Amino acid sequence: MIENLVVGLIVAGAACYAVWRWMPAAWRRGAAALFARGSARVGLLDAERAQRLQTALSKSSGCGACDSCGACASPKAGTADPRRPQEKPPTPAH
């Protein structure tokens, strides 16, 4: 019985994560504001922590449709991409 409860909680947590991850950004910001306000109203968080929670929950995760982290940007001209091995210049034939 306990095992079924634990598995159910894990599946419910994974489902909540998936819904939150793929939710449109506008919905995510609104839900984060509601969650933070509700947590502050109930007394779980003070106003400052509620604001930090709202900011953290509102952010997009991973490499989605954002350009905030710069991971998807192409490197500037003249700089080497640290993720790629450098090509050696061709050696002249004798």
Side-chain angles (χ1 to χ4, degrees), residues 1-90:
M1 179 67 181
I2 295 289
E3 292 142 356
N4 291 339
L5 181 64
V6 170
V7 169
L9 289 173
I10 291 171
V11 169
C16 289
Y17 174 78
V19 167
W20 189 267
R21 168 72 169 92
W22 296 107
M23 185 185 300
W27 292 8
R28 186 174 26 250
R29 284 189 299 269
L34 285 173
F35 186 72
R37 277 195 309 253
S39 297
R41 188 177 308 129
V42 172
L44 296 175
L45 300 172
D46 60 359
E48 180 185 342
R49 286 188 178 181
Q51 183 62 35
R52 285 190 296 181
L53 176 66
Q54 179 180 349
T55 303
L57 290 176
S58 297
K59 292 181 181 177
S60 297
S61 58
C63 282
C66 69
D67 58 358
S68 61
C69 68
C72 299
S74 59
K76 295 178 182 175
T79 61
D81 187 358
R83 296 173 290 188
R84 283 187 164 180
Q86 297 298 315
E87 294 180 15
K88 294 181 180 177

